[in-house]
Amino acid sequence: MSTNTLIAIIVAAVVVVVALTVTFTVLARRRHLRDRFGPEYERTVEEKGGALAAERELRAREQRHDRLDLKELPAERRRQYADEWTTVQEHFVDRPDGSVAEADELVSRLMSERGYPTDGYGRQLSHLSVEHAGTLDHYRSAHDVKVRSADGRATTEELRGAMVHYRALFTELLTDERNR
């Protein structure tokens, strides 16, 4: 076998190995993002118009999230929040729309105390999506009803649903494994 043939075989083998390594790395990253973000992955792909742009966005969210100083809440504070939630739910009978606004405010306060930024709904979604992707649709649904309620366009049944959605995120934030 000539030297040129041997060099061509070696170069081709190196190209194949590099291509396989890149492919497996991309697939591993994609699998990580799909596992971590769940339905938020597909939502972001649709929103960004493709997997590459979505994956860039989701990795950026992870990086921003890693810079947050998330805090554990002491047992007493978790109990106080749980008591406040009970009070908010009790208000629902007399003031459903007011209770939904209270629930939103309570969730925002809990997020803030835990160390999540609370300046802007979109930013809240972005930060929550990293560790709470499973309940993010609950938050979106609840927030949508809260906004429509402020304009008087939400039914009592929708308000009840919003409370259920807020409770899902509230419970997850309150009982997050970091807090155990």
Side-chain angles (χ1 to χ4, degrees):
M1 189 177 324
S2 73
T3 305
N4 287 340
T5 305
L6 186 57
I7 290 173
I9 291 171
I10 291 172
V11 167
V14 167
V15 167
V16 167
V17 167
V18 168
L20 286 173
T21 301
V22 168
T23 300
F24 287 131
T25 300
V26 167
L27 291 175
R29 282 186 188 160
R30 183 165 289 164
R31 184 175 42 253
H32 160 76
L33 291 172
R34 282 179 190 255
D35 290 346
R36 183 158 199 185
F37 288 92
E40 185 66 12
Y41 178 90
E42 294 303 328
R43 177 187 292 276
T44 307
V45 167
E46 196 172 304
E47 180 182 292
K48 295 293 181 180
L52 292 178
E55 289 168 6
R56 261 192 311 276
E57 166 63 24
L58 295 174
R59 281 193 303 276
R61 288 182 193 184
E62 285 180 319
Q63 291 169 351
R64 288 189 302 267
H65 183 271
D66 289 344
R67 291 191 298 265
L68 296 177
D69 182 23
L70 298 180
K71 299 166 186 68
E72 293 183 18
L73 294 181
E76 179 58 28
R77 284 300 291 145
R78 288 194 312 272
R79 243 184 326 278
Q80 289 170 350
Y81 272 108
D83 291 345
E84 285 185 64
W85 181 260
T86 300
T87 301
V88 168
Q89 287 186 134
E90 289 170 353
H91 292 164
F92 185 81
V93 174
D94 295 323
R95 300 182 299 114
D97 51 346
S99 289
V100 168
E102 286 179 58
D104 182 75
E105 188 272 330
L106 185 60
V107 166
S108 291
R109 272 195 296 121
L110 175 57
M111 287 173 57
S112 179
E113 189 167 339
R114 291 280 321 279
Y116 288 97
T118 56
D119 56 337
Y121 174 68
R123 193 165 178 216
Q124 288 174 328
L125 286 175
S126 175
H127 285 291
L128 287 172
S129 71
V130 177
E131 288 187 3
H132 303 283
T135 54
L136 208 54
D137 281 339
H138 286 287
Y139 188 44
R140 280 188 175 100
S141 297
H143 182 78
D144 177 58
V145 171
K146 181 195 137 239
V147 169
R148 286 188 295 110
S149 172
D151 296 337
R153 296 181 295 126
T155 67
T156 303
E157 186 58 26
E158 289 172 324
L159 295 167
R160 186 200 64 74
M163 291 297 290
V164 171
H165 292 307
Y166 275 123
R167 183 176 57 218
L169 178 59
F170 177 83
T171 300
E172 188 170 300
L173 285 168
L174 194 63
T175 60
D176 192 335
E177 288 186 12
R178 273 194 203 94
N179 288 330
R180 292 182 187 183

